[in-house]
Amino acid sequence: MRYGIIFFTCLFILTGFSAPEPNDEVTIIVELDESPESFLKEVERRLPRLEVVTSYDTIFNGVAIRGTAEELEKVARMDAVKNQHPVHTYEALEVEEGPTFSTELIRNQMRHPQTGKGVKVGIIDTGIDYNHPDLKDNFKGGYDTVDFDDDPMETEEEGATIHGTHVAGVVGANGEMKGIAPDVDLYAYRALGPGGVGSSVQVIAAIEEAVKDGMDVINLSLGNDVNGPDWPTSHAVNKAIELGTVVVVAAGNSGPDGWTIGSPATSSNAITVGASALSMKAPVLKVPGEKEKVLIQTMSGSVPWELAKKYPVTYAGTGEEEYGDVRGKIVLFERGGIPFSHKALKAYQKGAVAVLIYNNDEGNFQGGLDGVKLPIPVASLSNEAGEWLKEKVIQPNQWVETINVSLGDQVAPFSSRGPVTTNWEIKPDILAPGVDIYSTVPGGYQSLQGTSMAAPHVAGMAALIKEAHPDWDPAEVKQALTSTADLILTGNQPFPPTEQGAGYVDLNEALEPELLIEQSSLSFGKIEERIYRKQLPLTIKNLKNEPVTISIEKPIMESGVSWTVPMSAEIDPGQKEELSVELRVSAAFLEDGIHEGFLKVQESEKVYTIPYVFVKETSSYEIVSGFELETSWQNDRVADYRFHLAEGVEELRVDLYRAGTMLTAGTLLNEKDLQPGLIEGEVNIDNLNLEGSYLAIITVKTNKKESIYPFPIYIEGRR
């Protein structure tokens, strides 16, 4: 039996699920109230034509079954069935190329002998090229949950992938390149197939398989945009940790805005890793007479942006319409319409010297050129930067100059930010190098960037910690990393906790920490009362061979906020001290928004910092996320829906509009007094006659205001 869940900086593809004809074959996942064995015996006896794709008995009890809709309806009526789910699709995010940052720089700074020997690390990803000379000696096995066989090789033909091999090299390459833990036992779980795409069957199978194979550490680089702690992927990660596996999760590449962490990086117990950009130079565009500069990010597959002269910029829309001669110019496109590679190729053929593509929505994005190799650079811009260039450069016929600026140590712009809605926790937990990471790929080496590259740095470090402290559980490994992290500063002030968590990993300190602070962060919740008071535990363990005295400094005072912290405390060797910190708020004097900072713990000459956060009446996060609508495989008159609510709402209505015409197609749902969390159910759609592309407009009313959220969906008609 094979198990798992996928992880990897990924994009959740949401589509309608068409209701099949009675004789069409489909695959569903069935949750059970009992172990799969007895249920499968009953299925084999009563419905022998059904195919069991896989079964699960570690993360949860269940099976994935393939058969006709007519036969599967009979399965749904069996007593042991708790729930059933259609199979979803996951896809890997593109990552960007650039100059190199080698893991050897970290290893060369190590003061300890650990190499990861004897520690098992599972890479749940696109598979790995286990014939690569730097990986083949450490590769010990794994499983392919795409083809359900024992060969987790990267996709080599159509839809070839490189992501998993790159991640594996960061963790445990041992050849021309050295990974963080060059002597680990590497296991690969291929959950994503051609093009980096996989289904929930493969995702669930991969985590379960890794846990059953006894992985000490799992590296996951996958996620979606659901900023909440109770999405199924987060629950699955928590279960794996509960069973004793250290799980490291990439934070995602949806920064720099707040509230962009998605599941399963929202898992409370996982080590969620954001990306840092160490001291480096980056290309920016400078416009004569303007103080503002435009930061650009080259796309995956692009040559570096190294323009040495000033150039004019011309705007070409989305590239679908014809545009004139662009010889000797930089072409600015808007995202959308046609693929990035088509935009860039067309501009190159017309004589462009470079291509810029700006987002058609707020914020930044990352993209790639789908294997198209061009001799001109192609880069992405935020929506704001693109509009600014149109106003300041194109309209007045200005020319732009490329200069390189030193960024210093910082949080990478693309790295997703917290906090997490509903439980209001701080994520990411920690930062690691994620910009311009040089590692193994099939046939050689390449530099990529993204939180997918940051996470395996920490997975490798977790392996070294497990070698040094084999009896430590996942919580203690996480505490060692977060207790010893170093804050990254911007000027004289640290980046906020919701951007950097506890800070940048310090491998030497994490291998032999002197204190373990049990709480990686303190989340005081959302302030909704006039007078708010909350006390949180603060547990500190002394790992030194002598007593230590610790004192806690109150955070900087702000209006309406007061703190109570413990007096100085002495902790004996090997002992824990149970302390507490109390926050008191007078809401009338407190500004709305996120309030965050760092609590300081002093021990001798050392200062430890603990991130804290509390939130007052802010709605800068999306109240509704992750909306899915799919017609039932059992009955095309019924649709299953699922979404996440960040906070309770007085009323929620879902209206459908036909894409393009925006003519109303009817009201799908109208509910009152919903509580925060995962909302699931089914709705009768027999009278709506749905088919094709729609825009679901979700309107929510709270006691403060009314908010509207659009979600595109597609529904196939009845055949």
Side-chain angles (χ1 to χ4, degrees), residues 36-48:
E37 284 77 9
S38 58
F39 175 77
L40 290 175
K41 288 179 182 177
E42 182 69 7
V43 169
E44 185 177 356
R45 183 181 68 82
R46 293 171 53 182
L47 301 164

Side-chain angles (χ1 to χ4, degrees), residues 10 79 90 94 156 158 182 190 197 273 308 379 406 411 439 463 476 519 554 566 569 576 635 684 694:
C10 294
D79 292 339
Y90 293 78
E94 293 286 351
E156 299 176 289
E158 186 176 352
R190 181 175 177 252
V197 176
V273 186
S406 178
V411 182
S439 185
E476 290 169 307
Q519 292 73 24
K554 291 182 180 180
K576 289 183 180 180
N635 182 353
N684 191 309
Y694 294 86

Side-chain angles (χ1 to χ4, degrees), residues 305-333:
W305 189 284
E306 297 176 339
L307 301 185
K309 299 188 297 183
K310 294 180 180 179
Y311 293 96
V313 182
T314 186
Y315 177 62
T318 61
E320 297 170 281
E321 302 294 331
E322 270 306 314
Y323 49 90
D325 183 18
V326 295
R327 281 179 294 182
K329 297 180 180 179
I330 298 171
V331 180
L332 175 68
F333 292 104

Side-chain angles (χ1 to χ4, degrees), residues 222-393:
L222 136 156
N224 60 27
D225 62 356
V226 179
N227 181 251
D230 55 1
W231 206 249
T233 48
S234 294
H235 283 309
V237 165
N238 285 336
K239 182 64 176 178
I241 296 166
E242 180 186 321
L243 293 171
T245 305
V246 178
V247 181
V248 180
V249 184
N253 296 342
S254 299
D257 294 334
W259 308 99
T260 49
I261 289 278
S263 178
T266 55
S267 161
S268 296
N269 299 326
I271 304 172
T272 301
V273 186
S276 66
L278 301 186
S279 293
M280 56 176 292
K281 290 187 177 294
V284 299
L285 300 180
K286 186 177 183 302
V287 180
E290 298 288 342
K291 291 184 178 180
E292 187 171 344
K293 300 179 180 66
V294 175
L295 180 66
I296 59 177
Q297 298 183 54
T298 53
M299 287 190 166
S300 175
S302 168
V303 298
W305 189 284
E306 297 176 339
L307 301 185
K309 299 188 297 183
K310 294 180 180 179
Y311 293 96
V313 182
T314 186
Y315 177 62
T318 61
E320 297 170 281
E321 302 294 331
E322 270 306 314
Y323 49 90
D325 183 18
V326 295
R327 281 179 294 182
K329 297 180 180 179
I330 298 171
V331 180
L332 175 68
F333 292 104
E334 183 178 357
R335 184 183 184 185
I338 59 177
F340 305 137
S341 55
H342 293 186
K343 298 178 195 282
L345 178 60
K346 188 175 179 181
Y348 167 66
Q349 290 172 339
K350 287 176 170 285
V353 296
V355 168
L356 294 169
I357 303 172
Y358 75 92
N359 204 358
N360 54 3
D361 201 354
E362 290 185 3
N364 294 306
F365 73 97
Q366 290 188 301
L369 299 181
D370 300 328
V372 175
K373 296 295 183 182
L374 298 175
I376 64 171
V378 182
S380 65
L381 295 171
S382 69
N383 177 269
E384 297 77 12
E387 295 295 340
W388 187 85
L389 281 176
K390 286 166 66 177
E391 177 186 350
K392 300 294 185 180
V393 178

